[in-house]
Amino acid sequence: MAPGDGQGTRGAGQLVARAPRPASVDEIIDDVWAGRAPKSAPTQVYGSVHKLRQFLRDDGDAALQRSNDGYLLSVGPLGVDADRFTSGVEAGLELFRAGMLDGARQTLDEALAMWRGAPFDGSPPGGTATAFALRLENLRATAEQHRLEARIECGEHADVIGELHEQVDRHPFREDLWRHLLVALYRSGREAEALQEYGRLRATLAEELGTDPSTVTQAVYQQILDRNLPPAASAAASVVTAPAPASPRDTGAGPAAAPVRQLPPSVADFAGRTQEVADLESFVRDHDSPDAPLVVVLSGAPGAGKSTLAVHLARSIREQHPDAQLYLDLAGTSPSPRDADELLATMLHSLGRFGHPLPSSVDARSALLRSMLADSSTLLVLDDAATAAQVYPLLPPNGRSTVIVTSRSALTDLPGARHLHIDALPPGDAEQLLARIVGRERVAQEPAEARAIVRLCGYLPLSIRIVGGRLVGRPSWPLRQLRLRLSDESRRLAEMRLGDLDLRASLDLSLTSLDPDALLGFDLFGLLGPQDVPGWVLGALMGEPDHERLLDLLVDAGLLQPARQDDVGQARYRMHDLVRAHARERALDRGQEVCRAAARRVVRTWELLVRHQLEGRPPSLFDPLDGPGTQDGPVPVSRLADQIDGDAAAWLAAERQALLAAVRLAREWELAGLGRHFVGALTPLYDEQALYDDWRASHEVMLSCPGLDATDYGELLRGLGQVVLYTGDLEMAARHLQDAITAHESAGQTKGAALALAGLGTVHRLHGRLAQAEECARTALGVMVETADVPKEALLRGSIGRVLVAQGRTAAARPWYDTALRLAREVGDVHREAVTLRDLGSLERESGRPREAAAHLERSLELFRDLRDERCTAMALLQTGPVLADLADAAGAGSALTEAAQLFHLAGLWDEEDRCRTLLSDLDGALVAPPVA
């Protein structure tokens, strides 16, 4: 969608993607060569500009202008076909939403007709242009979807069936396309084919993703079965589009429209356990309590295969629990079993509460979980529980739910639980397991040797898997050779029996095949916690970037387990808890300095990865005051970042547990300064995603670390005070912030003291002590002016404006906002610009100038949408609604408040959603302005 002829147009994509903002030569070089630019890069850019001007012929000089240290593509908003395409699609979508389907279809057809090949085809686009191209591709998919829906609702259902077949074959997981196909077939009189296509969709999702069609698609299927699918265009939205979900707090509804499916896959070589499966099925069949879930506890010796069996049992009954299937590792055998509040937070986030502060107490979180699951049929697997107290707060509140718990102890104090003791496998099942691992033909050739091997393994599944893995890795070995090694005490090192000592002997046997580097990697991996981690962590532990060979060796030896592929494309690994305990003992035997150096390398790499996620983001109040020091690490961070498929929010969601574990690792090995820098780098990400539990835990852990200096204490106390302020404990926040001021002043860290003072000013403002709040903000502002920290100066000027508005001094507040806006624009802080415009909108409404207020809010909304900041967008919409109502634009006000309510709902901000609903109900009367946040 932009001209390109390979090397001749380096930077063309960047100019198009950045328009109407200029692109500097350095930005073009960074984008095109991604940090690996040749020395001739500037010359190549200048040459490409010359060629591009020639390509544009007579309009070249006017369209491509020199701007400071770069170039500006100045051809007007519709002079670039990407802009024309975007404008056309947006116009078509507006017509579609307005119910003007003929116009929508025609407008979308015209926009899609402009699409010619891949965006920037033929030129190396770079990061900015690649992101721009991805947005265009997504917009294209949206346009195609709505165009097809418009054609269906205009009566052209028979004409689009062929195109829809092509689309679902190309995008087999796009359920919206499948729903359109079902509707088109049904309305064309091809009801049987519609049902057949639904079966194909269901089989595809089950085979590829292990899930079922969404409830929305199931509703369409049911309407086809009942032959009551609405034929009219007016009913299309209710058929094909999911309705906005109601708040679980208000309705008691269970999980959202896309059910949670967290069960790990079963192992392909599962063998035996027939009696345990039958027992569970009888428990489910006979359970007759309507108000209490079925709870089954699997207990037994280490290595008996409790976790594998729990997953197998859960998957065998998953169809009876369609609403939610959850899996949690409770880390009961680790030195630090997971607390109930952390486990509840994980479950609530999985059920849709991610990105919103949770209740602070275990009881309140447990009550919220019960409310969300009250009417749901839930299947819950709780792996490796330490105590009944860990389990009880997690239980669903009805008899249609099932909970499967594994534990080394029997948990007999768990009320109402059914118990299954898991012992070693019967000999026949143990032989079957070995055959499935190494191959039936191989076992059939030496049946006596196979029987001896499983007997020497104590019939424990873990031991059999270890020796079976060795055989798989040695296809030339006869089974007799391994049996001889196990029979020889000098090689086997210990008799294999039930209990810890038996498993350690199995591990020692497996370790004999590893080279020294792999042994070191095994030992050091034991320093980590029970959570899974990306594979690069092994390289960081050892200071070895090329860690893949060692990773493969440990996996092949059965000492490291592939856990899953996370949502950002990383393969993750973990050690079985007992294997990890043995590895940790070996690591400690190597000496404290070896372990401390490994921990330092891991934490350092995590810190650099976090800082990479912060690059290019708007300035934050919580940006670290001092840099991280040297930017090099044991593993190339840029290479790791390139392998991550997702934005910072997705990466943070994937790594939350590992990041907190890294904080704990820093504390354990007393890495005071490094740990403080790491926690400080995490804080802006925690702030953006409202992960207040993680924020608070990370700071509290590091505050207990020996060796912190005054600056460390000041920064940690400031961060802790701020998160406590966010969660509503103003008195505790004031204490932490005052202590932070004292610590920073003792270290001569004036900026740190000023920022803590600014936070204390917020405490005063929320208490209504406006004079003190203004004094704190003004004092902090003076430091920012002295240190030339323009972004924080803009922030504090806006804070003073808010205090003045709260005092009723709107005229005095205006110049503070004006200056804040100017400074934000000067430094390119788009987020601060949007926040200030939003504040100015409130100020103008307070001053009786609704039109000016509307203009400020409209621009603020544009910026927030560009930044994809949905929470701030919702706040701006919440303020826009009353302003439009003042201007007698009831439709616009209703639209703004409805969208705000939907965004608040998606973010889990129930109170703000309620404010929107209240304002919507009052649209016919006088609207009350929402208070300034």
Side-chain angles (χ1 to χ4, degrees), residues 101 149-157 183-184 186-189 223 227-240:
L101 300 180
E149 186 172 348
R151 292 187 65 188
I152 292 172
E153 297 308 322
C154 286
E156 299 180 17
H157 33 264
V183 172
Y186 177 82
R187 291 185 181 168
S188 300
Q223 287 176 305
R227 299 187 176 181
N228 65 353
L229 188 70
S234 61
S238 66
V239 173
V240 183

Side-chain angles (χ1 to χ4, degrees), residues 670-720:
E670 299 183 3
L671 307 175
L674 175 58
R676 190 269 291 178
H677 279 103
F678 177 39
V679 166
L682 278 169
T683 301
L685 292 180
Y686 286 156
D687 178 48
E688 183 180 87
Q689 295 299 315
L691 292 175
Y692 299 146
D693 285 343
D694 294 18
W695 181 347
R696 182 169 184 166
S698 64
H699 282 67
E700 289 177 340
V701 166
M702 282 312 302
L703 274 168
S704 67
C705 182
L708 297 171
D709 61 23
T711 299
D712 295 334
Y713 274 116
E715 281 295 87
L716 290 169
L717 287 166
R718 178 169 74 92
L720 183 60

Side-chain angles (χ1 to χ4, degrees), residues 625-865:
L625 293 178
D626 47 358
T630 176
Q631 290 296 316
D632 60 344
V635 179
V637 170
S638 60
R639 188 180 74 183
L640 295 179
D642 290 342
Q643 297 170 356
I644 295 172
D645 181 19
D647 57 18
W651 179 81
L652 181 61
E655 298 292 10
R656 285 183 60 222
Q657 298 300 327
L659 289 166
L660 280 177
V663 173
R664 290 190 284 268
L665 189 67
R667 166 61 186 87
E668 178 184 2
W669 293 99
E670 299 183 3
L671 307 175
L674 175 58
R676 190 269 291 178
H677 279 103
F678 177 39
V679 166
L682 278 169
T683 301
L685 292 180
Y686 286 156
D687 178 48
E688 183 180 87
Q689 295 299 315
L691 292 175
Y692 299 146
D693 285 343
D694 294 18
W695 181 347
R696 182 169 184 166
S698 64
H699 282 67
E700 289 177 340
V701 166
M702 282 312 302
L703 274 168
S704 67
C705 182
L708 297 171
D709 61 23
T711 299
D712 295 334
Y713 274 116
E715 281 295 87
L716 290 169
L717 287 166
R718 178 169 74 92
L720 183 60
Q722 193 68 46
V723 70
V724 170
L725 171 61
Y726 281 172
T727 54
D729 192 338
L730 299 185
E731 298 305 324
M732 183 178 290
R735 290 196 297 271
H736 288 320
L737 290 167
Q738 187 59 63
D739 290 343
I741 294 170
T742 302
H744 275 309
E745 288 178 344
S746 70
Q749 182 56 266
T750 57
K751 182 178 286 189
L755 290 171
L757 183 64
L760 191 60
T762 302
V763 174
H764 287 313
R765 178 168 66 85
L766 294 175
H767 268 307
R769 299 190 290 262
L770 300 180
Q772 294 96 315
E774 182 180 355
E775 180 182 357
C776 288
R778 287 180 181 273
T779 302
L781 174 63
V783 175
M784 299 308 134
V785 172
E786 288 180 11
T787 56
D789 192 333
V790 178
K792 292 185 176 63
E793 178 185 348
L795 183 150
L796 287 167
R797 287 185 180 277
S799 298
I800 293 172
R802 286 187 176 189
V803 173
L804 294 174
V805 169
Q807 292 173 335
R809 300 161 61 189
T810 54
R814 187 180 301 278
W816 291 95
Y817 283 140
D818 289 341
T819 304
L821 184 62
R822 175 179 59 79
L823 293 174
R825 286 172 172 167
E826 285 179 359
V827 298
D829 188 347
V830 180
H831 193 274
R832 180 55 42 193
E833 177 184 356
V835 170
T836 307
L837 286 168
R838 190 179 67 194
D839 289 342
L840 277 168
S842 297
L843 177 67
E844 296 290 9
R845 186 173 186 242
E846 290 285 339
S847 303
R849 294 155 55 90
R851 293 192 182 280
E852 290 78 0
H856 287 313
L857 289 167
E858 181 179 4
R859 178 56 181 157
S860 175
L861 276 169
E862 291 176 0
L863 296 176
F864 282 136
R865 292 188 196 278

Side-chain angles (χ1 to χ4, degrees), residues 32-167:
V32 172
W33 283 279
R36 296 183 292 274
K39 293 182 179 180
S40 62
T43 303
Q44 292 190 48
V45 171
Y46 299 141
S48 295
V49 169
H50 176 69
K51 291 183 179 181
L52 186 57
R53 282 176 170 155
Q54 288 181 324
F55 180 88
L56 297 173
R57 297 184 179 87
D58 296 339
D59 297 328
D61 290 337
L64 191 57
Q65 301 175 2
R66 182 74 182 182
S67 174
N68 295 329
D69 59 343
Y71 297 93
L72 171 66
L73 188 64
S74 179
V75 293
L78 297 182
V80 176
D81 52 1
D83 290 330
R84 291 198 301 272
F85 172 75
T86 300
S87 178
V89 172
E90 290 175 347
L93 295 180
E94 283 295 323
L95 292 171
F96 184 92
R97 286 190 286 267
M100 303 171 68
L101 300 180
D102 280 324
R105 178 188 56 180
Q106 180 178 351
T107 304
L108 292 172
D109 276 339
E110 293 171 354
L112 289 168
M114 298 184 340
W115 195 275
R116 302 186 302 277
F120 308 112
D121 189 23
S123 64
T128 302
T130 298
F132 184 61
L134 180 60
R135 291 197 297 272
L136 291 175
E137 292 280 5
N138 290 335
L139 190 62
R140 179 192 187 187
T142 300
E144 288 178 337
Q145 173 194 339
H146 285 77
R147 178 180 63 84
L148 286 167
E149 186 172 348
R151 292 187 65 188
I152 292 172
E153 297 308 322
C154 286
E156 299 180 17
H157 33 264
D159 298 332
V160 302
I161 289 175
E163 184 177 349
L164 281 167
H165 272 299
E166 294 177 2
Q167 292 276 10

Side-chain angles (χ1 to χ4, degrees), residues 151-464:
R151 292 187 65 188
I152 292 172
E153 297 308 322
C154 286
E156 299 180 17
H157 33 264
D159 298 332
V160 302
I161 289 175
E163 184 177 349
L164 281 167
H165 272 299
E166 294 177 2
Q167 292 276 10
V168 298
D169 288 341
R170 195 159 56 242
H171 308 289
F173 305 129
R174 287 269 308 272
E175 287 197 46
D176 51 353
L177 295 173
W178 285 94
R179 289 195 293 270
H180 292 327
L181 177 59
L182 298 181
V183 172
L185 287 169
Y186 177 82
R187 291 185 181 168
S188 300
R190 298 159 67 174
E191 178 183 333
E193 291 180 56
L195 297 176
Q196 185 179 24
E197 289 300 325
Y198 178 80
R200 189 159 69 99
L201 166 63
R202 185 175 182 181
T204 298
L205 296 180
E207 292 172 5
E208 300 296 333
L209 304 179
T211 187
D212 294 322
S214 69
T215 54
V216 181
T217 307
Q218 293 179 34
V220 175
Y221 169 66
Q222 190 62 47
Q223 287 176 305
I224 292 174
L225 283 177
D226 298 339
R227 299 187 176 181
N228 65 353
L229 188 70
S234 61
S238 66
V239 173
V240 183
T241 304
S247 168
R249 184 192 54 187
D250 296 331
T251 65
V260 179
R261 297 286 187 267
Q262 293 184 345
L263 296 181
S266 292
V267 294
D269 52 25
F270 184 86
R273 303 302 187 192
T274 305
Q275 184 59 53
E276 289 86 348
V277 173
D279 288 343
L280 177 71
E281 291 174 349
S282 69
F283 293 162
V284 173
R285 183 174 58 251
D286 299 339
H287 185 65
D288 59 0
S289 174
D291 300 318
L294 169 64
V295 180
V296 181
V297 177
L298 310 183
S299 60
K306 299 182 293 297
S307 299
T308 300
L309 177 59
V311 172
H312 180 82
L313 294 175
R315 297 191 74 84
S316 72
I317 61 172
R318 68 184 186 275
E319 296 295 338
Q320 302 173 49
H321 301 82
D323 296 327
Q325 297 163 15
L326 300 165
Y327 175 89
L328 282 90
D329 183 356
L330 277 58
T333 56
S334 72
S336 302
R338 297 175 68 184
D339 293 328
D341 56 352
E342 178 190 356
L343 294 166
L344 285 163
T346 299
M347 292 183 69
L348 291 168
H349 288 151
S350 297
L351 293 168
R353 292 281 295 192
F354 185 82
H356 178 65
L358 298 175
S360 57
S361 71
V362 171
D363 290 341
R365 290 184 180 186
S366 183
L368 177 58
L369 178 68
R370 292 193 297 272
S371 176
M372 296 184 74
L373 298 179
D375 297 321
S376 299
S377 177
T378 302
L379 177 59
L380 177 59
V381 177
L382 302 176
D383 198 16
D384 192 18
T387 64
Q390 230 184 346
V391 172
Y392 191 78
L394 313 178
L395 299 181
N398 61 62
R400 294 188 296 118
S401 298
T402 299
V403 182
I404 301 176
V405 186
T406 72
S407 177
R408 291 178 63 178
S409 60
L411 302 186
T412 54
D413 54 341
L414 190 60
R418 308 296 297 267
H419 295 270
L420 287 175
H421 180 73
I422 310 304
D423 209 333
L425 288 169
D429 290 343
E431 293 174 41
Q432 184 183 15
L433 175 58
L434 181 64
R436 290 190 175 185
I437 294 172
V438 305
R440 296 184 185 280
E441 293 183 359
R442 195 171 176 186
V443 168
Q445 292 173 358
E446 300 177 85
E449 304 295 344
R451 286 194 293 272
I453 287 173
V454 297
R455 176 175 54 81
L456 292 169
C457 287
Y459 305 113
L460 286 174
L462 179 58
S463 299
I464 295 169

Side-chain angles (χ1 to χ4, degrees), residues 859-878:
R859 178 56 181 157
S860 175
L861 276 169
E862 291 176 0
L863 296 176
F864 282 136
R865 292 188 196 278
D866 287 343
L867 292 170
R868 300 182 182 180
D869 189 332
E870 293 188 348
R871 286 187 295 165
C872 284
T873 297
M875 289 301 300
L877 287 166
L878 175 58

